[in-house]
Structure formats: C-alpha cells, structure tokens
Amino acid sequence: MTFGAVRAQERAAKVLSGMLETGRIPAAMIFYGLEGTGKTLLAIEFAKVLFCQKRGQGPACGRCHDCQAADKRIHPDLALVNAQYQALLREEEPAKQKTLRVDTVRHLRRDMEMHSLTGGWKAAVVEDAHTLEPESANALLKIIEEPNPQTLWILATSQRERLPRTVLSRCFSVSCAPLPAVVVAAILEERGVEPRRAAAAAELCEGSAGRALELAAGDYPESLMEGPLAPFEAADGLPREAYLARAEVEAALFALSQDIRLNHLRGARTFAQVERPLRELLRLRQALRCNADPKVVLTLAGLAAEQAAANS
Ligand SMILES: [Zn+2]
C-alpha cells in the first residue's frame, strides 16, 4: 500500500499496511527517525486511510472530503500537536514553545475524548514528542494506558531515547529510515533550492531532509573557508537571537564535519590529517550545547576547518 506523498519509507509502509489489512491497529505508536524523513507526513497519511470515506483494503482515495480535509490539516478529528498548536492555546509566539506542557496534553485529552465528528476515528499526531515535559509525558501515559476505542495516538520524534521508558513500552515503534541522497535532492529542488546546491546538501545530510534544508539555507562550509578573515566575518553575520544563532552554528558544525569526513572517505586526506580537526569540531559541538557563545564557537570551527584544509 502507498501512503500519499511519503517517499522512500517502504519498510515502515509495509508494517503499517499490515495493520490496516488485519485491522489490528495499536492505540499508540512512535514513529522515530532523523529530522525530515517524513514521520509526520506518514502519520497523517496513515490517519487519512482511517478517515477516508471510500476506505476499502487499499490506500486513502485522496479525493473525498475527509482525505482533503486531512491534507489541509483541518480535519476535525485530526489533532496535529506541535509548537504552533501550543502557541495558539497559550496565545504566545510559536518560537517560545520549547517544550510541550502538561496543560497542552490535558487540553488534547479533552479533545480526544469527545465523539468523533464524522462518526469514525480520531487521531492525534504529536510532533517532536521528545519535548514533552516529564509531567506531560506522565499525563499522556495515563491516556494511552486506557485508550478509547477508535482513537489513535502517534508520537513522532527524532530522539526516541529521550522519551520515558514507560511511554516507550506502551507504544508500537515504527522506524523511519534515512532518505537516499537522490530523494533528498529532489525534495530540496521542489522547494526551490538550486540543483547543484541541493545535490551537495543531500550528500552531506546523512539522509535527513531537515538537515539538508538547513545546510542548503546556510552557505557552509564554503563561507568559512574563503580566506583568513572568513570565520570572523561569518561569526559577525550570525542572527542576534541566541536560539537562531545556536541553530545556525549547529548546522555549520555539522556541515564542516561532514565535509572533512567526505574528503577522508574519497581518499583526499588521511585519517591522521582529519583526526584533530574532527575532534576539535566535536568538542565545539559539545561546548555549544553547554551554552558556549555561538560566535566564538563558529570562529573556532572555521579555524579548525582551515587547518584541516591546509594539512591536505
Ligand atoms: Zn478519501
């Protein structure tokens, strides 16, 4: 069975098709895998099959009222829980929603306990489920321990290990595989990224379209290696907001490490030549996570990359 626009997730699709064919659908599932491998899309496409008015043995029709409403994310029985969802509830900015609060889970529970408006299934898809606060995860656990019939919970996460074991043990796990580079490149091109740049980012991203988009948006590693002053200029050009600067430097560190690794794999540099810069980049990544100044981290990373290039 195919699941709409989901690409390159044959194994996950096979597991989910089996559930639909046998009618044995777990009350709670975890879809896990790297950022940008299609977890949320797969979750919504799965729910769509349950909502579809022309539901038979096959995929969702994609044309009925329910399918179209799910595609537009406005289906009354589908809750897509993420920073935007919580921001609306709290009347705050989405960027401020770093964690999913217990009030959000309680609101969701009330919503999920109401009868389906279409007389069928209800589904909640929780994005970035690893951002659930401990109290929120507990509240969620109570719900999935005694699930209502025809109610589906799907937690999507790129960091499954951060979810409590109690929650994990109650959920059926579905793994979303890293995407092949050609698929990532095609996704980027559809979003307007120039083909050569899309191919370069796809090669560096380890199968995560999310990372590839970040890589394509920044001009790393090139911008850090255009001369001795480049790392300082790049650091000066970082966004003022700390969380944005941090995310950009994180992407830059990733791009630099991947670039050095690829050069090693291609035989352009020996292990001895890449070892020190890679260690330095790893150290900087850890420092960034411990709140080191993004500007300083980016400057040092640029200097490390320059050293790696000079060694070759
Ligand atoms: Zn349909």
Side-chain angles (χ1 to χ4, degrees), residues 59-92:
C61 78
R63 287 183 301 277
C64 72
H65 180 75
D66 283 281
C67 280
Q68 293 196 346
D71 281 341
K72 291 181 196 149
R73 314 286 188 261
I74 53 169
H75 195 288
D77 292 320
L78 172 68
L80 182 58
V81 184
N82 50 25
Q84 281 80 10
Y85 178 94
Q86 184 166 277
L88 274 176
L89 285 182
R90 301 180 66 84
E91 298 181 3
E92 290 174 353

PDB file of all heavy atoms in Angstrom, residues 59-92:
ATOM      1  N   PRO A  59      -5.159   2.064  -0.245  1.00  0.00           N
ATOM      2  CA  PRO A  59      -4.784   3.369   0.297  1.00  0.00           C
ATOM      3  C   PRO A  59      -5.963   4.344   0.349  1.00  0.00           C
ATOM      4  O   PRO A  59      -7.031   4.061  -0.197  1.00  0.00           O
ATOM      5  CB  PRO A  59      -3.727   3.867  -0.697  1.00  0.00           C
ATOM      6  CG  PRO A  59      -3.784   2.990  -1.888  1.00  0.00           C
ATOM      7  CD  PRO A  59      -4.573   1.780  -1.552  1.00  0.00           C
ATOM      8  N   ALA A  60      -5.755   5.476   1.011  1.00  0.00           N
ATOM      9  CA  ALA A  60      -6.792   6.511   1.061  1.00  0.00           C
ATOM     10  C   ALA A  60      -7.034   7.027  -0.355  1.00  0.00           C
ATOM     11  O   ALA A  60      -6.115   7.060  -1.174  1.00  0.00           O
ATOM     12  CB  ALA A  60      -6.328   7.639   1.974  1.00  0.00           C
ATOM     13  N   CYS A  61      -8.295   7.428  -0.643  1.00  0.00           N
ATOM     14  CA  CYS A  61      -8.617   7.816  -2.026  1.00  0.00           C
ATOM     15  C   CYS A  61      -7.980   9.159  -2.391  1.00  0.00           C
ATOM     16  O   CYS A  61      -7.676   9.413  -3.546  1.00  0.00           O
ATOM     17  CB  CYS A  61     -10.136   7.853  -2.225  1.00  0.00           C
ATOM     18  SG  CYS A  61     -10.922   9.333  -1.544  1.00  0.00           S
ATOM     19  N   GLY A  62      -7.793  10.031  -1.387  1.00  0.00           N
ATOM     20  CA  GLY A  62      -7.167  11.330  -1.656  1.00  0.00           C
ATOM     21  C   GLY A  62      -8.135  12.356  -2.226  1.00  0.00           C
ATOM     22  O   GLY A  62      -7.770  13.508  -2.411  1.00  0.00           O
ATOM     23  N   ARG A  63      -9.377  11.943  -2.504  1.00  0.00           N
ATOM     24  CA  ARG A  63     -10.311  12.874  -3.157  1.00  0.00           C
ATOM     25  C   ARG A  63     -11.536  13.191  -2.307  1.00  0.00           C
ATOM     26  O   ARG A  63     -12.149  14.231  -2.473  1.00  0.00           O
ATOM     27  CB  ARG A  63     -10.782  12.291  -4.496  1.00  0.00           C
ATOM     28  CG  ARG A  63      -9.703  12.316  -5.580  1.00  0.00           C
ATOM     29  CD  ARG A  63     -10.258  11.794  -6.896  1.00  0.00           C
ATOM     30  NE  ARG A  63     -10.756  10.436  -6.771  1.00  0.00           N
ATOM     31  CZ  ARG A  63      -9.974   9.349  -6.836  1.00  0.00           C
ATOM     32  NH1 ARG A  63      -8.690   9.476  -7.033  1.00  0.00           N
ATOM     33  NH2 ARG A  63     -10.494   8.143  -6.701  1.00  0.00           N
ATOM     34  N   CYS A  64     -11.922  12.294  -1.382  1.00  0.00           N
ATOM     35  CA  CYS A  64     -13.143  12.539  -0.615  1.00  0.00           C
ATOM     36  C   CYS A  64     -12.932  13.726   0.342  1.00  0.00           C
ATOM     37  O   CYS A  64     -11.812  14.189   0.545  1.00  0.00           O
ATOM     38  CB  CYS A  64     -13.561  11.284   0.151  1.00  0.00           C
ATOM     39  SG  CYS A  64     -12.483  10.912   1.552  1.00  0.00           S
ATOM     40  N   HIS A  65     -14.028  14.160   0.923  1.00  0.00           N
ATOM     41  CA  HIS A  65     -13.995  15.314   1.812  1.00  0.00           C
ATOM     42  C   HIS A  65     -13.008  15.103   2.980  1.00  0.00           C
ATOM     43  O   HIS A  65     -12.232  15.984   3.312  1.00  0.00           O
ATOM     44  CB  HIS A  65     -15.408  15.552   2.340  1.00  0.00           C
ATOM     45  CG  HIS A  65     -15.504  16.714   3.259  1.00  0.00           C
ATOM     46  ND1 HIS A  65     -15.460  18.018   2.784  1.00  0.00           N
ATOM     47  CD2 HIS A  65     -15.571  16.800   4.602  1.00  0.00           C
ATOM     48  CE1 HIS A  65     -15.520  18.839   3.819  1.00  0.00           C
ATOM     49  NE2 HIS A  65     -15.590  18.138   4.931  1.00  0.00           N
ATOM     50  N   ASP A  66     -13.042  13.893   3.558  1.00  0.00           N
ATOM     51  CA  ASP A  66     -12.167  13.612   4.702  1.00  0.00           C
ATOM     52  C   ASP A  66     -10.697  13.634   4.312  1.00  0.00           C
ATOM     53  O   ASP A  66      -9.859  14.184   5.029  1.00  0.00           O
ATOM     54  CB  ASP A  66     -12.524  12.250   5.320  1.00  0.00           C
ATOM     55  CG  ASP A  66     -13.779  12.335   6.155  1.00  0.00           C
ATOM     56  OD1 ASP A  66     -13.698  12.807   7.289  1.00  0.00           O
ATOM     57  OD2 ASP A  66     -14.852  11.944   5.652  1.00  0.00           O
ATOM     58  N   CYS A  67     -10.379  13.010   3.166  1.00  0.00           N
ATOM     59  CA  CYS A  67      -8.980  13.000   2.708  1.00  0.00           C
ATOM     60  C   CYS A  67      -8.490  14.428   2.481  1.00  0.00           C
ATOM     61  O   CYS A  67      -7.384  14.794   2.888  1.00  0.00           O
ATOM     62  CB  CYS A  67      -8.854  12.206   1.406  1.00  0.00           C
ATOM     63  SG  CYS A  67      -8.804  10.428   1.684  1.00  0.00           S
ATOM     64  N   GLN A  68      -9.323  15.217   1.826  1.00  0.00           N
ATOM     65  CA  GLN A  68      -8.888  16.576   1.513  1.00  0.00           C
ATOM     66  C   GLN A  68      -8.719  17.424   2.772  1.00  0.00           C
ATOM     67  O   GLN A  68      -7.797  18.222   2.872  1.00  0.00           O
ATOM     68  CB  GLN A  68      -9.864  17.215   0.534  1.00  0.00           C
ATOM     69  CG  GLN A  68      -9.776  16.493  -0.801  1.00  0.00           C
ATOM     70  CD  GLN A  68     -10.405  17.263  -1.945  1.00  0.00           C
ATOM     71  OE1 GLN A  68     -11.133  18.231  -1.727  1.00  0.00           O
ATOM     72  NE2 GLN A  68     -10.144  16.823  -3.154  1.00  0.00           N
ATOM     73  N   ALA A  69      -9.634  17.216   3.728  1.00  0.00           N
ATOM     74  CA  ALA A  69      -9.517  17.972   4.986  1.00  0.00           C
ATOM     75  C   ALA A  69      -8.234  17.581   5.720  1.00  0.00           C
ATOM     76  O   ALA A  69      -7.535  18.430   6.275  1.00  0.00           O
ATOM     77  CB  ALA A  69     -10.738  17.720   5.867  1.00  0.00           C
ATOM     78  N   ALA A  70      -7.901  16.285   5.696  1.00  0.00           N
ATOM     79  CA  ALA A  70      -6.659  15.837   6.359  1.00  0.00           C
ATOM     80  C   ALA A  70      -5.443  16.425   5.645  1.00  0.00           C
ATOM     81  O   ALA A  70      -4.477  16.843   6.281  1.00  0.00           O
ATOM     82  CB  ALA A  70      -6.587  14.311   6.385  1.00  0.00           C
ATOM     83  N   ASP A  71      -5.495  16.454   4.309  1.00  0.00           N
ATOM     84  CA  ASP A  71      -4.387  17.038   3.544  1.00  0.00           C
ATOM     85  C   ASP A  71      -4.165  18.503   3.917  1.00  0.00           C
ATOM     86  O   ASP A  71      -3.034  18.980   3.966  1.00  0.00           O
ATOM     87  CB  ASP A  71      -4.670  16.964   2.040  1.00  0.00           C
ATOM     88  CG  ASP A  71      -4.381  15.574   1.496  1.00  0.00           C
ATOM     89  OD1 ASP A  71      -3.642  14.823   2.166  1.00  0.00           O
ATOM     90  OD2 ASP A  71      -4.900  15.239   0.415  1.00  0.00           O
ATOM     91  N   LYS A  72      -5.277  19.207   4.159  1.00  0.00           N
ATOM     92  CA  LYS A  72      -5.157  20.640   4.512  1.00  0.00           C
ATOM     93  C   LYS A  72      -4.936  20.829   6.003  1.00  0.00           C
ATOM     94  O   LYS A  72      -4.910  21.956   6.493  1.00  0.00           O
ATOM     95  CB  LYS A  72      -6.426  21.382   4.090  1.00  0.00           C
ATOM     96  CG  LYS A  72      -6.572  21.491   2.590  1.00  0.00           C
ATOM     97  CD  LYS A  72      -7.850  22.278   2.264  1.00  0.00           C
ATOM     98  CE  LYS A  72      -8.231  22.075   0.799  1.00  0.00           C
ATOM     99  NZ  LYS A  72      -9.688  22.141   0.604  1.00  0.00           N
ATOM    100  N   ARG A  73      -4.829  19.728   6.742  1.00  0.00           N
ATOM    101  CA  ARG A  73      -4.624  19.765   8.203  1.00  0.00           C
ATOM    102  C   ARG A  73      -5.787  20.468   8.917  1.00  0.00           C
ATOM    103  O   ARG A  73      -5.583  21.133   9.924  1.00  0.00           O
ATOM    104  CB  ARG A  73      -3.322  20.486   8.581  1.00  0.00           C
ATOM    105  CG  ARG A  73      -2.108  20.092   7.765  1.00  0.00           C
ATOM    106  CD  ARG A  73      -1.610  18.711   8.163  1.00  0.00           C
ATOM    107  NE  ARG A  73      -0.359  18.390   7.529  1.00  0.00           N
ATOM    108  CZ  ARG A  73      -0.214  17.637   6.429  1.00  0.00           C
ATOM    109  NH1 ARG A  73      -1.278  17.135   5.822  1.00  0.00           N
ATOM    110  NH2 ARG A  73       0.972  17.378   5.934  1.00  0.00           N
ATOM    111  N   ILE A  74      -6.999  20.318   8.357  1.00  0.00           N
ATOM    112  CA  ILE A  74      -8.155  20.950   9.019  1.00  0.00           C
ATOM    113  C   ILE A  74      -9.227  19.913   9.338  1.00  0.00           C
ATOM    114  O   ILE A  74     -10.372  20.253   9.593  1.00  0.00           O
ATOM    115  CB  ILE A  74      -8.773  22.083   8.141  1.00  0.00           C
ATOM    116  CG1 ILE A  74      -9.085  21.547   6.738  1.00  0.00           C
ATOM    117  CG2 ILE A  74      -7.851  23.287   8.074  1.00  0.00           C
ATOM    118  CD1 ILE A  74      -9.940  22.500   5.900  1.00  0.00           C
ATOM    119  N   HIS A  75      -8.865  18.626   9.312  1.00  0.00           N
ATOM    120  CA  HIS A  75      -9.849  17.595   9.619  1.00  0.00           C
ATOM    121  C   HIS A  75     -10.216  17.704  11.102  1.00  0.00           C
ATOM    122  O   HIS A  75      -9.340  17.764  11.955  1.00  0.00           O
ATOM    123  CB  HIS A  75      -9.273  16.211   9.314  1.00  0.00           C
ATOM    124  CG  HIS A  75     -10.314  15.143   9.272  1.00  0.00           C
ATOM    125  ND1 HIS A  75     -10.933  14.676  10.414  1.00  0.00           N
ATOM    126  CD2 HIS A  75     -10.873  14.469   8.235  1.00  0.00           C
ATOM    127  CE1 HIS A  75     -11.821  13.750  10.064  1.00  0.00           C
ATOM    128  NE2 HIS A  75     -11.799  13.607   8.747  1.00  0.00           N
ATOM    129  N   PRO A  76     -11.555  17.731  11.415  1.00  0.00           N
ATOM    130  CA  PRO A  76     -11.949  17.954  12.818  1.00  0.00           C
ATOM    131  C   PRO A  76     -11.538  16.816  13.762  1.00  0.00           C
ATOM    132  O   PRO A  76     -11.474  17.022  14.971  1.00  0.00           O
ATOM    133  CB  PRO A  76     -13.474  18.064  12.747  1.00  0.00           C
ATOM    134  CG  PRO A  76     -13.860  17.400  11.466  1.00  0.00           C
ATOM    135  CD  PRO A  76     -12.714  17.612  10.514  1.00  0.00           C
ATOM    136  N   ASP A  77     -11.241  15.641  13.234  1.00  0.00           N
ATOM    137  CA  ASP A  77     -10.846  14.524  14.094  1.00  0.00           C
ATOM    138  C   ASP A  77      -9.341  14.281  14.098  1.00  0.00           C
ATOM    139  O   ASP A  77      -8.880  13.258  14.579  1.00  0.00           O
ATOM    140  CB  ASP A  77     -11.584  13.239  13.673  1.00  0.00           C
ATOM    141  CG  ASP A  77     -13.070  13.346  13.957  1.00  0.00           C
ATOM    142  OD1 ASP A  77     -13.420  13.901  15.025  1.00  0.00           O
ATOM    143  OD2 ASP A  77     -13.878  12.918  13.120  1.00  0.00           O
ATOM    144  N   LEU A  78      -8.603  15.220  13.536  1.00  0.00           N
ATOM    145  CA  LEU A  78      -7.145  15.090  13.497  1.00  0.00           C
ATOM    146  C   LEU A  78      -6.521  16.252  14.267  1.00  0.00           C
ATOM    147  O   LEU A  78      -6.758  17.415  13.941  1.00  0.00           O
ATOM    148  CB  LEU A  78      -6.652  15.118  12.045  1.00  0.00           C
ATOM    149  CG  LEU A  78      -5.133  15.185  11.843  1.00  0.00           C
ATOM    150  CD1 LEU A  78      -4.457  13.889  12.282  1.00  0.00           C
ATOM    151  CD2 LEU A  78      -4.799  15.471  10.373  1.00  0.00           C
ATOM    152  N   ALA A  79      -5.748  15.911  15.304  1.00  0.00           N
ATOM    153  CA  ALA A  79      -5.041  16.972  16.046  1.00  0.00           C
ATOM    154  C   ALA A  79      -3.555  16.848  15.736  1.00  0.00           C
ATOM    155  O   ALA A  79      -2.960  15.796  15.951  1.00  0.00           O
ATOM    156  CB  ALA A  79      -5.282  16.810  17.540  1.00  0.00           C
ATOM    157  N   LEU A  80      -2.978  17.914  15.196  1.00  0.00           N
ATOM    158  CA  LEU A  80      -1.543  17.927  14.933  1.00  0.00           C
ATOM    159  C   LEU A  80      -0.904  18.791  16.024  1.00  0.00           C
ATOM    160  O   LEU A  80      -1.087  20.005  16.050  1.00  0.00           O
ATOM    161  CB  LEU A  80      -1.273  18.507  13.539  1.00  0.00           C
ATOM    162  CG  LEU A  80       0.185  18.544  13.099  1.00  0.00           C
ATOM    163  CD1 LEU A  80       0.795  17.148  13.109  1.00  0.00           C
ATOM    164  CD2 LEU A  80       0.299  19.154  11.704  1.00  0.00           C
ATOM    165  N   VAL A  81      -0.229  18.108  16.953  1.00  0.00           N
ATOM    166  CA  VAL A  81       0.248  18.799  18.155  1.00  0.00           C
ATOM    167  C   VAL A  81       1.721  19.160  17.992  1.00  0.00           C
ATOM    168  O   VAL A  81       2.568  18.290  17.829  1.00  0.00           O
ATOM    169  CB  VAL A  81       0.068  17.893  19.389  1.00  0.00           C
ATOM    170  CG1 VAL A  81       0.457  18.624  20.659  1.00  0.00           C
ATOM    171  CG2 VAL A  81      -1.369  17.409  19.466  1.00  0.00           C
ATOM    172  N   ASN A  82       2.000  20.444  18.019  1.00  0.00           N
ATOM    173  CA  ASN A  82       3.382  20.927  17.869  1.00  0.00           C
ATOM    174  C   ASN A  82       3.466  22.322  18.491  1.00  0.00           C
ATOM    175  O   ASN A  82       2.548  22.745  19.199  1.00  0.00           O
ATOM    176  CB  ASN A  82       3.759  20.942  16.384  1.00  0.00           C
ATOM    177  CG  ASN A  82       2.721  21.652  15.535  1.00  0.00           C
ATOM    178  OD1 ASN A  82       1.984  22.508  16.043  1.00  0.00           O
ATOM    179  ND2 ASN A  82       2.637  21.304  14.268  1.00  0.00           N
ATOM    180  N   ALA A  83       4.549  23.017  18.210  1.00  0.00           N
ATOM    181  CA  ALA A  83       4.735  24.346  18.803  1.00  0.00           C
ATOM    182  C   ALA A  83       3.591  25.297  18.410  1.00  0.00           C
ATOM    183  O   ALA A  83       3.106  26.065  19.242  1.00  0.00           O
ATOM    184  CB  ALA A  83       6.075  24.920  18.364  1.00  0.00           C
ATOM    185  N   GLN A  84       3.129  25.198  17.152  1.00  0.00           N
ATOM    186  CA  GLN A  84       2.040  26.090  16.705  1.00  0.00           C
ATOM    187  C   GLN A  84       0.758  25.792  17.488  1.00  0.00           C
ATOM    188  O   GLN A  84       0.043  26.706  17.883  1.00  0.00           O
ATOM    189  CB  GLN A  84       1.742  25.899  15.206  1.00  0.00           C
ATOM    190  CG  GLN A  84       2.699  26.588  14.268  1.00  0.00           C
ATOM    191  CD  GLN A  84       3.985  25.794  14.096  1.00  0.00           C
ATOM    192  OE1 GLN A  84       4.084  24.658  14.537  1.00  0.00           O
ATOM    193  NE2 GLN A  84       4.975  26.385  13.460  1.00  0.00           N
ATOM    194  N   TYR A  85       0.481  24.520  17.681  1.00  0.00           N
ATOM    195  CA  TYR A  85      -0.714  24.099  18.408  1.00  0.00           C
ATOM    196  C   TYR A  85      -0.701  24.691  19.826  1.00  0.00           C
ATOM    197  O   TYR A  85      -1.669  25.286  20.289  1.00  0.00           O
ATOM    198  CB  TYR A  85      -0.732  22.573  18.454  1.00  0.00           C
ATOM    199  CG  TYR A  85      -1.886  21.931  19.206  1.00  0.00           C
ATOM    200  CD1 TYR A  85      -3.030  21.528  18.540  1.00  0.00           C
ATOM    201  CD2 TYR A  85      -1.798  21.682  20.577  1.00  0.00           C
ATOM    202  CE1 TYR A  85      -4.078  20.911  19.214  1.00  0.00           C
ATOM    203  CE2 TYR A  85      -2.844  21.069  21.262  1.00  0.00           C
ATOM    204  CZ  TYR A  85      -3.978  20.681  20.573  1.00  0.00           C
ATOM    205  OH  TYR A  85      -4.998  20.080  21.248  1.00  0.00           O
ATOM    206  N   GLN A  86       0.451  24.536  20.488  1.00  0.00           N
ATOM    207  CA  GLN A  86       0.561  25.045  21.860  1.00  0.00           C
ATOM    208  C   GLN A  86       0.542  26.569  21.901  1.00  0.00           C
ATOM    209  O   GLN A  86      -0.025  27.165  22.802  1.00  0.00           O
ATOM    210  CB  GLN A  86       1.838  24.506  22.502  1.00  0.00           C
ATOM    211  CG  GLN A  86       1.972  24.903  23.961  1.00  0.00           C
ATOM    212  CD  GLN A  86       3.054  24.098  24.662  1.00  0.00           C
ATOM    213  OE1 GLN A  86       2.839  22.987  25.099  1.00  0.00           O
ATOM    214  NE2 GLN A  86       4.232  24.682  24.773  1.00  0.00           N
ATOM    215  N   ALA A  87       1.164  27.192  20.897  1.00  0.00           N
ATOM    216  CA  ALA A  87       1.194  28.655  20.841  1.00  0.00           C
ATOM    217  C   ALA A  87      -0.217  29.224  20.752  1.00  0.00           C
ATOM    218  O   ALA A  87      -0.553  30.217  21.400  1.00  0.00           O
ATOM    219  CB  ALA A  87       2.032  29.109  19.652  1.00  0.00           C
ATOM    220  N   LEU A  88      -1.083  28.559  19.956  1.00  0.00           N
ATOM    221  CA  LEU A  88      -2.462  29.014  19.832  1.00  0.00           C
ATOM    222  C   LEU A  88      -3.191  28.899  21.165  1.00  0.00           C
ATOM    223  O   LEU A  88      -3.923  29.804  21.563  1.00  0.00           O
ATOM    224  CB  LEU A  88      -3.203  28.175  18.791  1.00  0.00           C
ATOM    225  CG  LEU A  88      -3.070  28.631  17.341  1.00  0.00           C
ATOM    226  CD1 LEU A  88      -3.763  27.643  16.417  1.00  0.00           C
ATOM    227  CD2 LEU A  88      -3.665  30.023  17.163  1.00  0.00           C
ATOM    228  N   LEU A  89      -2.964  27.768  21.857  1.00  0.00           N
ATOM    229  CA  LEU A  89      -3.619  27.550  23.152  1.00  0.00           C
ATOM    230  C   LEU A  89      -3.183  28.598  24.166  1.00  0.00           C
ATOM    231  O   LEU A  89      -3.973  29.093  24.956  1.00  0.00           O
ATOM    232  CB  LEU A  89      -3.258  26.172  23.714  1.00  0.00           C
ATOM    233  CG  LEU A  89      -3.900  24.935  23.107  1.00  0.00           C
ATOM    234  CD1 LEU A  89      -3.430  23.708  23.871  1.00  0.00           C
ATOM    235  CD2 LEU A  89      -5.413  25.045  23.187  1.00  0.00           C
ATOM    236  N   ARG A  90      -1.889  28.908  24.150  1.00  0.00           N
ATOM    237  CA  ARG A  90      -1.337  29.791  25.177  1.00  0.00           C
ATOM    238  C   ARG A  90      -1.308  31.249  24.754  1.00  0.00           C
ATOM    239  O   ARG A  90      -0.904  32.115  25.523  1.00  0.00           O
ATOM    240  CB  ARG A  90       0.100  29.348  25.520  1.00  0.00           C
ATOM    241  CG  ARG A  90       0.189  27.932  26.024  1.00  0.00           C
ATOM    242  CD  ARG A  90       1.626  27.572  26.352  1.00  0.00           C
ATOM    243  NE  ARG A  90       2.132  28.345  27.469  1.00  0.00           N
ATOM    244  CZ  ARG A  90       1.938  28.026  28.739  1.00  0.00           C
ATOM    245  NH1 ARG A  90       1.270  26.936  29.035  1.00  0.00           N
ATOM    246  NH2 ARG A  90       2.416  28.784  29.695  1.00  0.00           N
ATOM    247  N   GLU A  91      -1.720  31.500  23.511  1.00  0.00           N
ATOM    248  CA  GLU A  91      -1.670  32.850  22.951  1.00  0.00           C
ATOM    249  C   GLU A  91      -0.272  33.447  23.091  1.00  0.00           C
ATOM    250  O   GLU A  91      -0.077  34.533  23.630  1.00  0.00           O
ATOM    251  CB  GLU A  91      -2.739  33.741  23.594  1.00  0.00           C
ATOM    252  CG  GLU A  91      -4.133  33.232  23.312  1.00  0.00           C
ATOM    253  CD  GLU A  91      -5.217  34.102  23.924  1.00  0.00           C
ATOM    254  OE1 GLU A  91      -4.897  35.135  24.513  1.00  0.00           O
ATOM    255  OE2 GLU A  91      -6.393  33.713  23.801  1.00  0.00           O
ATOM    256  N   GLU A  92       0.700  32.664  22.640  1.00  0.00           N
ATOM    257  CA  GLU A  92       2.100  33.096  22.668  1.00  0.00           C
ATOM    258  C   GLU A  92       2.725  32.853  21.301  1.00  0.00           C
ATOM    259  O   GLU A  92       2.119  32.269  20.431  1.00  0.00           O
ATOM    260  CB  GLU A  92       2.888  32.283  23.702  1.00  0.00           C
ATOM    261  CG  GLU A  92       2.543  32.573  25.135  1.00  0.00           C
ATOM    262  CD  GLU A  92       3.254  31.631  26.110  1.00  0.00           C
ATOM    263  OE1 GLU A  92       3.908  30.664  25.685  1.00  0.00           O
ATOM    264  OE2 GLU A  92       3.132  31.863  27.300  1.00  0.00           O
TER     265      GLU A  92
END
